[in-house]
Amino acid sequence: MILDRLVPPMTGEVTVAMDAPPEEVWALVSDVTRIGEFSPETFEARWTRGSTGPEVGASFKGHVKRNGVGPTYWTPCQVTACEEPRLFEFSVGTDDVTVNSWGYRIEPDGAGGSRVTEYFRLSAALPFRAYWLVLGRLRRRTNANGMRTTLERMKQVVES
């Protein structure tokens, strides 16, 4: 398809080494109620629909301030992968439409620490491809900066 060739990959990731075992890092990234301590855009989150912790299918909502300045809105999310201590991933959107997915991969570094990768994938639906074609370069940079900030703040917590 021509659009596939025109639109660059709608993904991004950032990796940070942390001097903490994967179990400690996983406990932090999978506790969505703490994201406000770390993210420059999502300043709070809470479990919803009877969910109380990380497991596949668990629901939560994040309170987001777009680009760190506004507008402010709530985003419904659902955990899509939960493999302690190596993977935590969730989708953003409604039950019918996924806007994007975010996640954390945690790998032991062989010396007692971890390599932590935060990543995102935007939906491949046509409206999102059009958005990405026009604003993707800027949004990828914003997301990369936000992911680096989030991971560096988490690093400070797990290494203290």
Side-chain angles (χ1 to χ4, degrees), residues 6 8 100 106:
L6 289 175
N100 60 22
I106 307 158

Tab-separated table of all heavy atoms in Angstrom, residues 6 8 100 106:
chain	number	residue	atom	x	y	z
A	6	LEU	N	4.668	5.851	2.592
A	6	LEU	CA	4.728	7.280	2.886
A	6	LEU	C	4.862	7.589	4.369
A	6	LEU	O	5.487	8.558	4.753
A	6	LEU	CB	3.472	7.979	2.369
A	6	LEU	CG	3.321	8.111	0.867
A	6	LEU	CD1	1.969	8.723	0.540
A	6	LEU	CD2	4.442	8.939	0.284
A	8	PRO	N	6.187	7.042	8.001
A	8	PRO	CA	7.260	6.371	8.739
A	8	PRO	C	6.684	5.547	9.885
A	8	PRO	O	5.527	5.738	10.274
A	8	PRO	CB	8.105	7.535	9.265
A	8	PRO	CG	7.200	8.716	9.270
A	8	PRO	CD	6.187	8.484	8.184
A	100	ASN	N	-3.361	4.127	20.936
A	100	ASN	CA	-1.961	3.706	20.947
A	100	ASN	C	-1.719	2.730	22.087
A	100	ASN	O	-2.591	2.490	22.906
A	100	ASN	CB	-1.000	4.902	21.011
A	100	ASN	CG	-1.186	5.765	22.228
A	100	ASN	OD1	-1.719	5.339	23.246
A	100	ASN	ND2	-0.739	6.996	22.158
A	106	ILE	N	11.780	-4.939	30.520
A	106	ILE	CA	12.833	-4.912	31.538
A	106	ILE	C	13.700	-6.141	31.352
A	106	ILE	O	13.209	-7.270	31.379
A	106	ILE	CB	12.217	-4.902	32.953
A	106	ILE	CG1	11.204	-3.759	33.080
A	106	ILE	CG2	13.310	-4.793	34.012
A	106	ILE	CD1	10.190	-3.957	34.170
